Amino acid sequence: MATTSAPEERPRGIRTLRLAVAQSTVPEDPTDQGALRAAGQEIRALMVEASEAGARLVQFPEGAITYPSKHVMAAGPTGELLPADWSRAAWDVMREEAESITALAGRLGLWTVFGSLHPLTPPNRPHNSLSAPRGAVPYRPRSGQRLEECLWI
């Protein structure tokens, strides 16, 4: 993650937002629990680094927790391609990592945008989503407005 020098003096009344863009290692196998946990750990370390550099928002790539290779979920025992079997994905680990990232975002006061697979109701295939947990975002709803737990972008 690259950081820039401190911003120059700004005229009064001008609000600024320091943004960090981070590239983490993106595992291709959503069944590899160790790789998913390592991805989450790396994301959290980069979040701390971004926060310490003064960022209020950090953007990770699509599929930061995992961006599966099509062949991983659709390879048969002898390597032939079959319909993808998404029941093998470690959905519980992906959810735990996303929840841990969200919790840290709240503690750091850091709006964190990260991507991962999102399961849909079978027989629909999962899709890649970016999520921005609201835990770190100061938000005052106007009358009749409601912000969901996560913003899906």
Side-chain angles (χ1 to χ4, degrees):
M1 179 177 64
T3 59
T4 60
S5 60
E8 296 182 23
E9 293 272 331
R10 306 234 191 287
R12 287 184 73 140
I14 301 294
R15 296 177 65 189
T16 63
L17 172 73
R18 180 167 280 190
L19 166 70
V21 177
Q23 177 63 57
S24 56
T25 306
V26 178
E28 292 186 346
D29 186 350
T31 68
D32 185 342
Q33 295 183 19
L36 297 173
R37 293 206 186 279
Q41 184 176 9
E42 182 180 11
I43 290 166
R44 290 187 296 278
L46 288 168
M47 289 169 63
V48 169
E49 184 179 336
S51 178
E52 289 173 351
R56 293 281 296 130
L57 186 149
V58 60
Q59 167 73 54
F60 287 91
E62 177 183 15
I65 294 176
T66 184
Y67 192 87
S69 163
K70 294 180 192 299
H71 295 282
V72 171
M73 300 309 289
T78 60
E80 76 278 12
L81 290 181
L82 303 171
D85 178 6
W86 290 103
S87 68
R88 297 185 302 126
W91 296 112
D92 57 336
V93 175
M94 284 184 262
R95 185 177 49 257
E96 289 168 10
E97 291 305 321
E99 288 170 356
S100 182
I101 291 164
T102 299
L104 180 59
R107 288 193 302 274
L108 295 174
L110 181 67
W111 189 338
T112 304
V113 180
F114 63 97
S116 187
L117 285 177
H118 180 70
L120 298 175
T121 307
N124 299 304
R125 296 168 41 135
H127 63 236
N128 290 312
S129 295
L130 288 176
S131 60
R134 73 173 179 154
V137 181
Y139 177 74
R140 292 188 183 94
R142 295 188 302 266
S143 177
Q145 274 190 316
R146 181 173 160 219
L147 185 65
E148 297 298 327
E149 189 60 32
C150 283
L151 301 173
W152 295 98
I153 301 168

